[in-house]
Amino acid sequence: MTEHIEDSGRPVVLRVTGLKKRFGSLEVLRGVNLTVLQGEVMCILGPSGSGKSTLLRTMNHLEEVDSGRVELDGELVGYKQRGSRYVTLPEKQLAAQRARIGMVFQNFNLFPHMTVLQNVMESPIGVLRRPSREVKETAMGLLDRVGLADWSHAYPRTLSGGQQQRVAIARALAMKPRLMLFDEPTSALDPELVGEVLDVMKGLAADGLTMVVVTHEIGFAREVADNVLFMDGGYVVERGHPDDVLGNPQERRTKAFLSKVL
Ligand code: ADP
Ligand code: MG
């Protein structure tokens, strides 16, 4: 699989190879391989407990790995190699790598004591040390893009879940990430608010942002994903184009899962 997609000539942004992870005696990732090219959207589906969040969290080293590797633009994430040994990077270098990967969580995780605008400006100033005038201009542009320019001085608690999630997306984008990771970004939302968040994400995909999205929104995956990956029990059970994996699944476990969520 890897070979044919690389023939497109597009650069590989993310490569995960032979990734294994256990918590005590529980094997959560049992050897995961995947490749995401620049501008691609990969959707990851699978039942609760199949290892989706853990996989996503290893991609920016929020989680240590037991074996295998994660590479961002060809650079090993989280570790440096010393001969055959892997040594965890110092915190400063981890922070620099994480700054290149945006992450959006199920529960928004906005800073409650900061306004919407302050939330979006925090990391570019605090982490990247960008000048505040420039950061403010970019932040206002991003809030406009997610439809919240009029809410810049509001506090998160006064916003709906859909609005909060759109702020969280703007906040991640403010770091100009190379890659965006979304972990069930609409799962905590009331049904009528799901669409506004998915619409923002569709716009990002259309603009060529490279994204990995854990989601149960099959319609979104069908419409937006270049590749769909179905996980169960720490394995990638089935992968491919959404028309195939979602429209004509081959594996029993994929069929069973889809019949429940569709
Ligand atoms: P998913 O996102 O697909 O629901 P997770 O990656 O969150 O799955 O979890 C996979 C398995 O790993 C689950 O059985 C979960 O309970 C377990 N797990 C996740 N994080 C931890 C942790 N920090 N310590 C122990 N077990 C964990
Ligand atoms: Mg999860």
Side-chain angles (χ1 to χ4, degrees), residues 52-53 183-184 214:
K52 307 180 299 296
S53 293
D183 193 355
E184 298 197 37
V214 173

Side-chain angles (χ1 to χ4, degrees), residues 112-132:
H113 59 290
M114 292 183 189
T115 65
V116 163
L117 182 61
Q118 286 166 343
N119 264 278
V120 179
M121 291 177 65
E122 166 65 20
S123 290
I125 291 176
V127 178
L128 301 181
R129 307 273 166 215
R130 306 298 307 163
S132 65

